[in-house]
Amino acid sequence: MKKKKKIIISNRLPIQIERKKEKLIIKPSAGGLATGLNSAFDTDEILWVGWPGIVPKDEEEREKIVELLKPMNLLPVFLSKDEIRNFYEGYSNEVLWPICHYQPSYIHFDREYWSTYVMVNKKFCEAALSIDEPSDFIWVHDYQLMLLPQLLRSENQELNIGYFHHIPFPSEELFMNIPQRKELVEGLLGADLIGFHTFADSQNFLNACKKILHVSSGHNQLKYKDRHIFIESFPMGIDFDKFVEVSSQPKIQSIASQFRSHFPDQKIIIAVDRLDYSKGILERLRAFLTFLEKYPEWHTKVVLYMLIVPSRDKVSQYKKLKDEINRKVSEINSIYGNLSWTPVLYFYKSLPFEELVGLYIASDICMITSTRDGMNLVSKEYIASKTLSKGVLILSEFAGASKELVDALIINPYNRTETADSIYQALKMPPEEIQERTDANIQIIQKFNVQHWVQLFTNRLAETKAIQRDEWAR
Ligand code: G6P
C-alpha cells in the first residue's frame, strides 16, 4: 500500500522563486523555519504547502511554477500584491511579529490587515483540502497561519493537526492588546498539539487561553469545546550531521583559511542575522563601541564581521533599521578605523551555505544579541561547525537557545557594558576552556537535532490523538 504523505503548511515554502531576465530561478528561503525544517524530511515523505515568494505575471507563468514545483512535492499558494501587503507585511509582520517580540510600539494596524489575514488563512485551508492524496497528519507552522488549525478542524473532525509556533509567545498581558486575541487563540485550538520552543512560551499561551476563554487547564493541556488540546515545548534543533560533514570537507576548510588569511593579525567576531529589530543588531553595535572605548589595547586586533540577510524590506520598521545600522557602522568605523583597520565589516546579503560554514569555521567568536528570539538556530549552526576548530559563543539570554546552550557566555544585550565585557572575556578565554564549553554545547546539539525534534513532535501528536480517542470511548 502507498504510504500516506505528511502535509506541512507554512507561509513560505523552503524555496523561493525569482524571475531573472524572464527565467524562473529557484533559491533557498531564509529564516529558521525554512532552513531548519527542510533538512528534517525526505521530500518523498511530505507534501509542503506554502507561498513561493513571487507574484506570477500571468496564468501561463502560474502554471509553469506549479509544474516546476510538483516534482519537489511542493504545492504553491499564490498571494496577490494586496495580500502580500495586508496579510504578510501587514497583519503578520506589523502586528503579530512586534507583539510576539515584545515591541508593542512597533505595531501598526490598518483596516484591511485583519480581513486579509482571515482570507489568506482560508486560502491556505482550501489549498490543503484540495490535495487528493490521503493524509492523516497535517503540521501547520507559525504565526502567519494561526487561524488555519481551526479552519481545517471545522472541515474534518478526524484530522491529526499539529501546530508549531516558531517565534516567542508573549506574556498574556501583552497578548491581550491584540483586538483579535480571541479569534487567534481559538484558531490555534483547532490543533490537537500546539508546540513552542520553550516552556515559558507554552505557559504564556496557556495563560492567554485561560484569560480569554475562561477555561481551566493543566500544566500542558486544556479542554475546549469538548476536545483535549495539548500545549507543550519542543526546542527545535538543526541537522547536526550535515554541519559536521560539510565543515570537515577540504573545500570548505580552504574557504575558511582563505577568509582567515584576510585577517592575519586579528581575531574575528562574526554575527549572522536576518535584518530584524528582534536580533539586537543596534544593541550589538553599541556594545562593540563600548568595548572599543573600554579596551583600547584591542584596537587593530579585532574585527566585527556582520552578515545581515535582507528581509521584509518593504516594512517601514525594517527600512528604518537598515538606515540606522548603516549610520552606526560608519560612526564606529570613522571614530576608530584607520587606513589599515576597519573595525566593523558589514554585508547586506545572504551567503551560499558552504561559504557560511566557512565563515563559522574561520571565526573566533560568534555574537547573538537578540532582544527576543524563538530559538535562534544560528547559535546552533555555529557550534555544529566547530567540531574541528574552536570558537566562543556569546548568546543572548532572550534567545530560546540560551535555555539549552548554557555553556555559552550568556548576556543581556540591553546591558552594553556586560556585553562589551563578554567580548573581552571571549578574547582572553584560555583554549582549554573554549574547548570544554564547545564540547558541552556540541553534546546537546548533536543529541537534540532536528530529526529528533520532528520525531518527538510527530510521536506526541499520534499519542494525543490516541488519548482523545480514549476520552471519547469512555
Ligand atoms: C522567522 C519566522 C518564519 C519566517 C522567517 C523569514 O524564522 O519564524 O516564519 O519565514 O523568519 O521571514 P520571512 O518574513 O522572510 O518569511
Side-chain angles (χ1 to χ4, degrees), residues 51 55 78-86 116 119 123:
W51 177 48
V55 180
F78 294 101
L79 300 180
S80 68
K81 285 192 178 137
D82 279 350
E83 288 169 340
I84 294 173
R85 174 69 209 114
N86 295 317
T116 317
M119 229 162 63
K123 203 173 190 176

Side-chain angles (χ1 to χ4, degrees), residues 32 48 61 82 94 129 148 171 181 200-201 207 216 225 239-240 270 298 334 364 370 394 402 406 425 454 457 469:
W48 196 320
E61 190 175 67
D82 279 350
E94 289 180 9
L129 296 172
L148 186 52
S171 81
R181 61 201 187 189
D201 290 330
N207 289 338
S216 56
K225 297 195 173 158
D239 190 347
F240 177 81
I270 56 152
W298 279 96
S334 54
D364 301 285
S370 315
I394 297 177
S402 69
V406 290
Q425 188 188 346
V454 166
F457 191 92
R469 270 195 293 270

Side-chain angles (χ1 to χ4, degrees), residues 248-264:
S248 59
Q249 285 172 12
K251 184 174 137 209
I252 311 301
Q253 291 287 334
S254 107
I255 294 179
S257 350
Q258 221 174 26
F259 178 71
R260 233 320 2 138
S261 67
H262 295 301
F263 308 98

